[in-house]
Amino acid sequence: MASIGTDSNGRKRILFVSSEGSRKTIRIGRASRKQAVAFKVKVESLVSAGITGCTDDETARWMTSLDDLTHNKLAAVGLLRARQTTGAATLKRFLDDYISSRTDVKPNTIIGLGQARRNLLAFFNESKRLSDITSGDAEEYSRYLYAKLSPNTVRRLCGRAKQFFRFAVKKRIIQSNPFEELESNVRSNPDRRFFITAEMACRVLDACPDAEWRLIFCLSRFGGLRCPSEHLALKWSDVDWERGRLRVPSPKTEHIEGRASRTIPLFPELRKALLVVFEEAPEGGEYVITRYRQPNSNLRTHLQRIIQRAGLESWPKLFHNLRATRQTELAEIFPAHVVCTWLGNTEDVAKAHYLQVTDNHFAKALKIDAVTTEQIPQKAGITSPYRTGLQRPISAAQIPAQHPAERTRTDQHRQIDFATFPGDSGLCESVRSSQWPLSESNRYAGEGGGF
């Protein structure tokens, strides 16, 4: 498919027939016979790739390692696409061009992309070419991040790096993504879970400076809204006072079909806080939250100060923990699919990142009626570890006698005369005890809402 030619001055050239059938020549200069043979093999592979559309991994790696001069020679004969200019192929220039082109994403996404850009440029040289970054460099970058940031933050930044270089592959600037093997899935961290009790919520509400801040807290703690995006998107037209429902616009999931918004119950805690703000709202006002809409309104810092004013310590994830607390509470009362519809997530996400085991679960477990555990079969003289409130061992007299197997019956079954039962036999009575505690749903309905 290709052959090696030698000029009179000893310089080598590779001759081959392209996929279109035309004869092509690549001059490779002064090279040994062994180097010329190796180059010829790669040329043959590129010709085959042009015909079949498939490039083997070894050739792909070789292509990314080529210098600009050799790459341009191969591009001139149609074996490769021409590289972009050296400036555009540098890391800084590429990242700046990519981020400026993403006019289709939200401002917070641009902030995240900018954070990933800063970390990449802090580790790599600004003038470093994308094609010079290897998988080993990517692994060293990951270790560099783990030395100074939390694991989930590192995974997010590695995910952004994957995103950048995946686009570079699509643009044919590089042949493969050196960050592809890095872990980028955010994991749940049990150490950062925290349950905000009703008593703690009341203390925080008492420390809030105004009615709008009390509403912001209630929307997070009792409505499970994402802060700040869903709070700031809320309009008075979304409040259905008559039906007791609240439409929640969801900027985070609006790109997913059918998830631009969701409807939640107007829980008593939300209704009370909304009414107070509604009475103070100016005539013709559109948005529910008006005082804290400025970009410099750092709600996280404000909430930290409010929590300290309430005499409490800040929990690990200020707004996420509030939302997770509400999902855990509602999951005790309503089916999982209902709660997930109200909170705007899936059951898998809820299990991994939201639902918690609380002190109240342990307290309920310790109140199990001992009658329900008496039915567990035990050996004589051994106390069951599953019994609640029953410390004495089970005696042999309490164990039902085990009868031998019944012999096979050959005669007909005797008809039972129900008239022979004693006349004073009692009627069947309900086993339901008046002392049995109310279900969670009944207790919730009986207690009502409020702060």
Side-chain angles (χ1 to χ4, degrees), residues 186-198:
V186 176
R187 299 179 185 176
S188 176
N189 185 355
D191 294 335
R192 291 174 63 82
R193 294 186 180 184
F194 192 88
F195 189 88
I196 295 89
T197 64

Side-chain angles (χ1 to χ4, degrees), residues 258-304:
R259 294 184 62 183
S261 66
R262 63 184 187 277
T263 302
I264 67 172
L266 199 57
F267 296 106
E269 301 90 347
L270 297 184
R271 177 182 284 273
K272 181 177 179 180
L274 277 167
L275 280 173
V276 174
V277 175
F278 182 75
E279 292 173 357
E280 298 179 356
E283 189 71 25
E286 181 181 11
Y287 289 97
V288 174
I289 303 298
T290 58
R291 298 181 184 176
Y292 305 98
R293 302 188 64 83
Q294 295 76 13
N296 60 348
S297 295
N298 192 329
L299 298 183
R300 176 182 173 82
T301 301
H302 278 260
L303 182 55
Q304 285 179 324

Side-chain angles (χ1 to χ4, degrees), residues 14-26:
I14 306 298
L15 301 95
F16 68 97
V17 179
S18 68
S19 56
E20 293 85 8
S22 58
R23 294 176 60 84
K24 303 284 185 178
T25 301
I26 304 174

